[in-house]
Amino acid sequence: GCILDGKLYPFGEIARTENCFRCSCSQDAMRCCSLFHTPVGYDKEGCKVVFNKKTCDYDVVQKSDPSKECVVYSRV
């Protein structure tokens, strides 16, 4: 298998790792891509970015009230 972040994964396709990546594990390499997109267009003064491991995505919330979401204009 392959080791990623100290955890052993079997050969083949891994749909979702603990850290929200989709990977392919073979004898010669492990290739991964993220399941999330990083927010870049949002109110950086009044909002902050928080990673949500449950949904494998970033939440953008108000700094003054983290229970309220901010509008995100673009992600990469």
Side-chain angles (χ1 to χ4, degrees), residues 8-61:
L8 179 64
Y9 291 93
F11 288 125
E13 298 296 317
I14 298 115
R16 178 180 162 176
T17 68
E18 285 181 3
N19 292 327
C20 298
F21 285 88
R22 179 175 48 239
C23 300
S24 175
C25 171
S26 64
Q27 283 187 303
D28 57 301
M30 185 170 194
R31 293 175 182 85
C32 299
C33 61
S34 65
L35 294 171
F36 49 87
H37 295 93
T38 306
V40 289
Y42 64 94
D43 174 13
K44 292 179 173 65
E45 293 285 315
C47 303
K48 65 180 179 176
V49 177
V50 181
F51 190 70
N52 184 334
K53 264 191 162 179
K54 196 167 155 184
T55 62
C56 280
D57 207 356
Y58 286 101
D59 295 333
V60 181
V61 296

